[in-house]
Amino acid sequence: MIFRRLWNAMAAQFNKVAHAVWSADPIAQLQLEHDRAVEQLQEGREGLVQYRTMVKKVERQVENSQKDVSRLTARIKAHLKAGNRELAAELALNLQQAKARLAEVTEQHGMHEATYGNNLKRIKQATQRIR
């Protein structure tokens, strides 16, 4: 118990000294803030490149899924018109799966687009701090 109090008192004194030294050099503080902002800017740019690539990839998946849905819908209509109900029913099942894939990929696209926007905000904030 006595040792703990003694240790806490010594730690408080070291903390006072460190705080006094740290606050005595405002240029070092500004340099540290600048370095942190530059580091955050670099991380944001890397993330921005990664997520832009991911967004483009998912956009292509969304486009392909939309084309699949359109193609299957047209084929179903054509087979129904021709009286091929069994083939139209099989294609309808494929259409349901294609719509599910489209919904999933669209959701992923929204998430990646939001992450891209967040990284863009980080870069803007870091750029404002550097100025």
Side-chain angles (χ1 to χ4, degrees):
M1 182 92 162
I2 293 174
F3 290 116
R4 181 176 289 180
R5 286 185 183 177
L6 184 60
W7 176 257
N8 286 341
M10 286 180 18
Q13 294 303 319
F14 284 127
N15 192 21
K16 272 191 206 177
V17 170
H19 182 65
V21 169
W22 185 253
S23 63
D25 192 4
I27 295 174
Q29 287 178 338
L30 289 174
Q31 184 63 41
L32 179 64
E33 287 181 28
H34 180 268
D35 292 344
R36 285 181 182 163
V38 168
E39 187 176 309
Q40 186 180 14
L41 184 62
Q42 289 172 343
E43 289 173 6
R45 284 184 180 159
E46 290 171 8
L48 200 61
V49 168
Q50 290 173 353
Y51 279 103
R52 192 71 232 162
T53 303
M54 184 66 73
V55 166
K56 288 294 184 185
K57 179 182 173 186
V58 175
E59 278 179 2
R60 284 191 301 272
Q61 290 176 352
V62 167
E63 289 172 6
N64 290 338
S65 294
Q66 287 173 341
K67 287 177 185 177
D68 285 344
V69 167
S70 297
R71 183 180 51 82
L72 286 170
T73 303
R75 286 183 66 193
I76 289 170
K77 287 179 183 179
H79 284 291
L80 285 175
K81 214 175 216 185
N84 298 334
R85 293 174 104 20
E86 290 179 17
L87 189 54
E90 289 179 29
L91 291 174
L93 292 175
N94 291 342
L95 179 63
Q96 286 179 338
Q97 292 172 352
K99 285 183 178 181
R101 275 193 308 270
L102 177 61
E104 180 182 329
V105 174
T106 303
E107 182 181 342
Q108 286 178 1
H109 180 261
M111 290 186 322
H112 291 306
E113 193 70 43
T115 304
Y116 176 78
N118 289 338
N119 281 329
L120 190 60
K121 285 179 187 177
R122 286 178 63 193
I123 287 175
K124 286 180 182 178
Q125 289 173 353
T127 302
Q128 289 174 354
R129 282 191 216 141
I130 289 174
R131 291 181 185 173

